[in-house]
Amino acid sequence: MPSSVLIAGAGPVGLTMAVELARFQVPVRIIDRSAARTDKSKALAVWSRTLELLDRSGCSQLLIDAGRKTRAVDIMSGKKTIARIAFDDLASRFPFVLMVPQSETERVLEEKLQALGVAVERNVEFKGFVETGSVVTCSLLHPEGRAETVAVDWLVGCDGAHSQIRHQLGMPFEGDTVPGTYVLADVHVSGLELPEDEFPIFWHRNGMVAFFPIDRNRYRVIADLGTGEQSNPTLEDVQAIVDKRGPGGIVLSDCVWIAPFTINERKVRDFSAGRVFLAGDAAHIHSPAGGQGMNTGIQDAINLAWKLAMVVNNDGNRELLLDSYSIERSANAAQVLRDSGRMLRVATLPNAAAQAVRDFLAHRLLGLAPVRNMAAEQLSELAVRYDHSPLNGSESRASGLPKPGHRMPGDLPFGVGTRPRFALIVGEKADAAVQFKGFDDIVEVLAGDPAKVDGMCLVRPDGYVAMTADAGRWDDIIAYLSRISRKEIL
């Protein structure tokens, strides 16, 4: 069977896209110009919401086995704790941030993809495409100069910040380059006096330095170098920064990777054009503050995959579902850009008076439990929501139900099958099953706790609420499903 979807780029975002489509039994090819997956640690943090979404394909536990659970971040000034944000109380099965090297994340995803019968085609370069009617014709270049032309129904560009597909679409990558240079170093660290499941960010009058755990006693150290600093920092340079900005007594050694970098904050306005989509760094790049970039990209892929699978399977309203991808994820990326940019600028304030005010306010505000909880939910991406999505249906006045577009908390098994299906949560499963004869291919009924579910809640395959209705308002649910699927009840 010819492939319905071609994915260009086999990083974490492209691999997630391929895994999701393959488990939904959509024919897919995934190519990458590199000869092998990365051997670098690169993006480390995998947040709670990403783990929830990856759990549907069985990847989360495999990542946890390869990573390190971290339960709090400490904002420090020398030996003094300015604020501590803990993740233990997050309303998730994954109340932590998982630190796992990107090389391991890619390994887990690629092995899962292979188990689903799809192999990454490496050393294959994407050269261009032409969209004609219902077909996207793509030009590929194999090793030794062999050219291939392949026709697919849909093309997904997960080909990074320098995306060839984005360039061909002519989409401006709007935003700015943050002034100054930064350094990252993956090193062995001794003398860091904190619990093993916490990590520190030190604020200092000369800048910041942060320690992100990779493995036992091995950390990613990130610091700002300011403007006009050396372009090739050494381990000795990073040690001098740590000595000045840290609490003292920390020793770095055994450096396996050190590199300077600049920070770009950019995104495209639209994540799709016709039959072509962008996801991950091809659509948005962020400050590393908060570790949101890879997570945002993975969630792009999961958001698009179930919608595309419904369309490929003729289960969904093509225009409504696919248009919603750009609307939802572009707004989310814009929010991540604002939040991560704000965190970076707060951490690197150059003015001593502003730094003093920052430290005072952070200590006071993050000393309040509601503020700490809000910060933890934002970082963990449990707070991601789609308030203005065209997929949002009606809202009931029933108590205890999240609003349309908001994440549905709990352990109910949303979206774990081989076909994208909505879940209807009701107090009595038997009564609801009778009502949805004719929609059983796109909706499943899950019995909720009658004491907690006052009414009915229809949940999307990605675990966000589609609509809520008062008990017995079956017509409202049926009308929504008809709009999503363009089906009529039998």
Side-chain angles (χ1 to χ4, degrees), residues 359-426:
D359 293 0
F360 173 78
L361 289 176
H363 181 69
R364 293 296 297 270
L365 290 174
L366 289 169
L368 302 173
V371 178
R372 284 198 310 274
N373 294 339
M374 186 183 302
E377 287 201 345
Q378 287 291 129
L379 286 169
S380 66
E381 302 202 350
L382 296 180
V384 170
R385 60 196 191 193
Y386 306 125
D387 284 323
H388 304 293
S389 171
L391 300 187
N392 290 348
S394 59
E395 181 180 355
S396 155
R397 296 183 180 277
S399 62
L401 294 175
K403 294 182 178 181
H406 290 216
R407 166 181 168 268
M408 183 66 184
D411 295 331
L412 292 171
F414 307 121
V416 297
T418 58
R419 194 164 183 167
R421 300 175 77 191
F422 287 73
L424 178 66
I425 303 172
V426 293

Side-chain angles (χ1 to χ4, degrees), residues 112-259:
K112 174 59 67 173
L113 184 61
Q114 289 172 340
L116 291 167
V118 179
V120 177
E121 301 175 46
R122 297 200 175 272
N123 284 318
V124 179
E125 185 177 356
F126 184 89
K127 300 299 290 184
F129 71 91
V130 175
E131 182 179 343
T132 307
S134 61
V135 175
V136 184
T137 303
C138 303
S139 300
L140 312 180
L141 185 63
H142 290 262
E144 301 177 356
R146 180 173 67 86
E148 179 189 4
T149 300
V150 57
V152 294
D153 298 321
W154 310 95
L155 171 64
V156 185
C158 303
D159 49 343
H162 301 288
S163 170
Q164 166 70 21
I165 294 173
R166 185 187 69 242
H167 283 299
Q168 185 171 340
L169 287 171
M171 291 184 172
F173 212 22
E174 299 172 343
D176 299 296
T177 299
V178 177
T181 304
Y182 296 76
V183 63
L184 66 82
D186 285 359
V187 294
H188 184 277
V189 175
S190 61
L192 186 61
E193 298 179 356
L194 275 178
E196 289 189 355
D197 60 353
E198 300 186 16
F199 65 95
I201 298 172
F202 293 95
W203 288 352
H204 186 268
R205 64 180 179 274
N206 295 119
M208 68 89 187
V209 62
F211 293 77
F212 301 97
I214 301 173
D215 202 348
R216 186 174 180 83
N217 296 326
R218 183 167 292 282
Y219 286 77
R220 160 83 52 78
V221 179
I222 292 181
D224 58 305
L225 297 174
T227 56
E229 297 288 345
Q230 64 272 20
S231 59
N232 294 296
T234 65
L235 178 60
E236 289 72 23
D237 296 324
V238 181
Q239 179 70 66
I241 291 172
V242 170
D243 290 343
K244 180 178 291 186
R245 302 180 190 176
I250 296 177
V251 178
L252 312 182
S253 62
D254 187 23
C255 182
V256 297
W257 184 32
I258 186 168

Side-chain angles (χ1 to χ4, degrees), residues 424-436 439 445 455-456 467 469-481:
L424 178 66
I425 303 172
V426 293
E428 294 295 335
K429 182 175 180 179
D431 290 344
V434 176
Q435 301 289 333
F436 291 95
F439 284 112
V445 180
M456 300 184 289
M467 64 165 295
D470 294 333
R473 292 299 301 268
W474 305 112
D475 289 348
D476 293 347
I477 304 289
I478 291 169
Y480 180 89
L481 292 171

